[in-house]
Amino acid sequence: MSIFRKPYTRPVPTDAKRLKRKGTNGRPLVRFTQRGGKEVEAELSADKKRCTVQSAKWYGRYVDADGVRQESPLCTNKVAAEQMLADLVKRAELGRAGLVDPYEAHRNRPLLDHLGDYEQHLQAKGNSERHIENSISRTGRIIAECVFKRIGDIAAGDVANWLKQCRDGGEFGASTSNGYLTAMKGFCNWLVRDKRVGESPIAHLSRVNAKTDVRRERRCLPGEEFGRLMSSTADNGDLYGMRGVDRVLLYLTAAYTGLRASELASLTTTSFDFASETPTVTVEAGYSKHRRKDVLPLHPDLARRLQEWLADR
């Protein structure tokens, strides 16, 4: 193994002084001050427009675990470069002995690079855009505010403390806190499944009891109230880019099927089957809460109204 500086050519500086001595190739030498204040001597090229200088960074030559000769950039400090090269040689020797760390390359990559790969994985699975956006934004926020740079920096205590501070500070409640933890756990579990780390560093963290901090109480809408909602909706004008009569069909479909807003938003005319004995509506797996294709029966009255409403669309 050995360390060396790589030669490269650069234009001759206008303030370079030509020397009487010649270089190893028999060409004239020039002297000038590089950026940073270091004075160097460089040999001119044949056309005398460029000169050859040595790189500031040291490089190392060694034989890797597969027996292939390698050249690797190190650093500008010679002592540190020698130590870095020794580490490379040691890892190569361990590799030849079958003692390679399978996660080393992944541990050295920036954590945000892994997060980008995770986003591509979610897209390839066919997850909804909203799910992907929530997962990546929440995980990215934890990574940024806990200052996790590499996989090895992820600490369960830091994640738990950050979530508690946000809850105690009133930024969000228990339910949203659980959403952030679920997103971070999903990312760490993927790191394990993709063989980028041996185990999830936050596997033992548990969700908090959301019932102790209810920010929005959910309740059933009595029939009388629902009837008033339908009447007032039909009488109102445009809202959210939809006519009142259109929103009535949307609310009725939600009430009869129990579909969520994102699931309803995914429906198209081809989602409905009115020709079968029992009319149905289908939610594709990428939009379903259960991450599977859901086929739900439609109430006959709702099916009739939807079929009439969709006839002109």
Side-chain angles (χ1 to χ4, degrees), residues 230-288:
M230 294 299 97
S231 297
S232 62
T233 299
D235 295 336
N236 284 330
D238 292 357
L239 188 62
Y240 309 121
M242 297 178 65
R243 299 178 304 166
V245 292
D246 298 333
R247 298 201 306 280
V248 167
L249 266 295
L250 176 65
Y251 298 160
L252 283 173
T253 304
Y256 275 105
T257 63
L259 294 178
R260 297 183 166 206
S262 59
E263 294 171 326
L264 290 165
S266 74
L267 301 180
T268 67
T269 54
T270 58
S271 303
F272 298 92
D273 179 8
F274 301 113
S276 302
E277 181 177 350
T278 300
T280 61
V281 60
T282 300
V283 180
E284 297 299 330
Y287 300 97
S288 169

Side-chain angles (χ1 to χ4, degrees), residues 130-189:
R130 182 176 180 182
H131 172 72
I132 296 172
E133 181 181 357
N134 280 342
S135 298
I136 299 303
S137 64
R138 288 178 172 181
T139 303
R141 183 180 174 191
I142 292 176
I143 289 173
E145 298 193 11
C146 290
V147 198
F148 297 151
K149 302 295 185 182
R150 300 285 190 276
I151 291 178
D153 296 333
I154 301 176
D158 291 344
V159 175
N161 290 336
W162 182 83
L163 292 172
K164 184 176 185 301
Q165 289 173 4
C166 291
R167 293 194 304 270
D168 293 347
E171 183 172 346
F172 51 64
S175 180
T176 302
S177 174
N178 289 338
Y180 272 92
L181 180 58
T182 298
M184 190 67 185
K185 277 198 165 190
F187 173 58
C188 291
N189 290 339

Side-chain angles (χ1 to χ4, degrees), residues 50-199:
R50 301 182 68 86
C51 59
T52 302
V53 294
Q54 301 295 316
S55 63
K57 180 178 290 187
W58 290 90
Y59 288 74
R61 289 193 182 97
Y62 68 102
V63 178
D64 65 16
D66 298 320
V68 180
R69 294 181 62 84
Q70 301 286 354
E71 286 189 2
S72 179
L74 303 171
C75 64
T76 56
N77 182 281
K78 185 176 182 180
V79 175
E82 290 173 339
Q83 183 60 54
M84 291 173 68
L85 180 59
D87 289 340
L88 290 174
V89 172
K90 181 179 179 180
R91 285 198 290 270
E93 291 173 348
L94 289 173
R96 285 192 286 273
L99 302 175
V100 177
D101 178 1
Y103 309 117
E104 181 179 7
H106 294 304
R107 286 191 291 102
N108 292 331
R109 289 182 63 197
L111 196 54
L112 291 181
D113 286 357
H114 293 291
L115 186 61
D117 293 344
Y118 179 53
E119 182 175 8
Q120 293 180 2
H121 164 74
L122 294 178
Q123 291 169 345
K125 279 182 61 180
N127 286 285
S128 67
E129 292 183 5
R130 182 176 180 182
H131 172 72
I132 296 172
E133 181 181 357
N134 280 342
S135 298
I136 299 303
S137 64
R138 288 178 172 181
T139 303
R141 183 180 174 191
I142 292 176
I143 289 173
E145 298 193 11
C146 290
V147 198
F148 297 151
K149 302 295 185 182
R150 300 285 190 276
I151 291 178
D153 296 333
I154 301 176
D158 291 344
V159 175
N161 290 336
W162 182 83
L163 292 172
K164 184 176 185 301
Q165 289 173 4
C166 291
R167 293 194 304 270
D168 293 347
E171 183 172 346
F172 51 64
S175 180
T176 302
S177 174
N178 289 338
Y180 272 92
L181 180 58
T182 298
M184 190 67 185
K185 277 198 165 190
F187 173 58
C188 291
N189 290 339
W190 171 78
L191 290 174
V192 176
R193 292 195 304 272
D194 208 49
K195 295 182 172 38
R196 302 187 181 210
V197 69
E199 59 181 359

